[in-house]
Amino acid sequence: NRPLHRVNHPDVIYLTEDEKWDAAVEEIREVHKSGRPTLVGTVSIEKSELLSRKLDKFGVKHNVLNAKHHEREAEIIAQAGRKGAVTIATNMAGRGTDILLGDGVAEKGGLHVIATELHSSKRIDRQLIGRAARQGDPGSFQFFLSLEDELLRCLSAKVRRRFQAKARLDKQGDLSGSWLRLFQRTQRFLEKTHRKQRKHLLRQEKFRADL
């Protein structure tokens, strides 16, 4: 239980997914150049492969950790803390294996975690964030979001269009941090919905067991 040295960089929110991915790639490249390792969380295999292709275009060497490479999970995650390493992980693939920092990495700021979407469960987001700055190591994290993210697709198309019409970019080309409340409210709504569904399923199973 050592003191926590995790830096929370402000969330950045974009109008479109394309803008979000471009910004995330630029952040990965900058951190990579500094020599710090980066762990990037994605919500699906498709998104991890999309990001991988974008990084390939810039010649950024990286590993992809998803269901297609499950036999190499421990090996890949063990390398993720080395100098300049870039690792893309889907839904916290490789969890349970500590990411140990390589030589000189702590002095550079430790592992940087980038979350490219909010999950429908806050618990999964916390698990991803928790990969940085473990056991007293330094580290940081940042969320990159967009109004086209999967999380918001539970909203009707009409509501999404209304939000997009209201959105105004700031001088940096992204949206105000106040938009984060929309994501947080939607995440809480989905968590509540999923809890109700689980309770309903348990009641059904108990009813069948009592027959």
Side-chain angles (χ1 to χ4, degrees):
N1 295 321
R2 298 175 183 174
L4 183 64
H5 300 290
R6 184 183 299 134
V7 178
N8 176 6
H9 293 293
D11 304 320
V12 284
I13 305 171
Y14 295 88
L15 193 60
T16 68
E17 276 197 305
D18 285 342
E19 291 169 320
K20 178 190 72 174
W21 288 117
D22 288 346
V25 168
E26 185 60 28
E27 173 73 4
I28 293 167
R29 292 176 66 201
E30 289 300 314
V31 176
H32 177 65
K33 288 177 186 177
S34 76
R36 292 181 64 191
T38 309
L39 175 67
V40 189
T42 62
V43 299
S44 67
I45 292 174
E46 292 75 19
K47 296 294 176 62
S48 69
E49 293 178 340
L50 169 67
L51 179 56
S52 178
R53 291 193 296 271
K54 288 180 177 293
L55 292 176
D56 282 338
K57 290 181 180 179
F58 288 100
V60 178
K61 292 183 179 180
H62 59 279
N63 282 310
V64 179
L65 191 59
N66 58 33
K68 292 187 177 182
H69 303 285
H70 62 276
E71 72 282 355
R72 293 186 58 227
E73 275 195 4
E75 175 191 345
I76 291 174
I77 209 69
Q79 307 283 331
R82 295 193 174 184
K83 182 180 178 181
V86 177
T87 307
I88 304 171
T90 302
N91 281 341
M92 284 313 299
R95 60 189 172 191
T97 303
D98 277 344
I99 299 177
L100 302 179
L101 301 184
D103 291 342
V105 169
E107 290 76 9
K108 294 180 179 294
L111 178 69
H112 183 50
V113 171
I114 294 175
T116 56
E117 291 190 38
L118 279 182
H119 290 79
S120 59
S121 170
K122 192 173 183 178
R123 175 181 57 83
I124 299 176
D125 293 330
R126 287 197 299 263
Q127 287 176 337
L128 176 62
I129 292 168
R131 303 311 293 266
R134 294 177 67 88
Q135 298 298 318
D137 287 333
S140 59
F141 73 93
Q142 188 169 27
F143 279 86
F144 283 74
L145 310 172
S146 86
L147 295 187
E148 294 180 339
D149 283 355
E150 185 71 30
L151 181 81
L152 301 183
R153 291 179 189 172
C154 68
L155 306 175
S156 70
K158 182 178 179 180
V159 169
R160 293 202 306 272
R161 286 196 298 270
R162 188 170 74 242
F163 281 132
Q164 289 169 346
K166 289 170 57 179
R168 295 292 181 269
L169 303 181
D170 60 20
K171 293 179 180 179
Q172 285 72 44
D174 52 17
L175 300 176
S176 163
S178 63
W179 281 88
L180 182 62
R181 290 195 290 272
L182 169 63
F183 291 84
Q184 293 170 334
R185 287 198 306 268
T186 306
Q187 187 181 62
R188 287 195 296 269
F189 167 77
L190 289 173
E191 287 180 322
K192 186 177 180 180
T193 301
H194 293 160
R195 280 196 299 271
K196 287 181 177 179
Q197 290 172 342
R198 288 194 295 270
K199 288 180 180 179
H200 179 66
L201 181 60
L202 287 172
R203 284 196 297 268
Q204 285 184 319
E205 291 177 348
K206 186 178 185 302
F207 175 76
R208 285 195 294 265
D210 291 339
L211 291 178

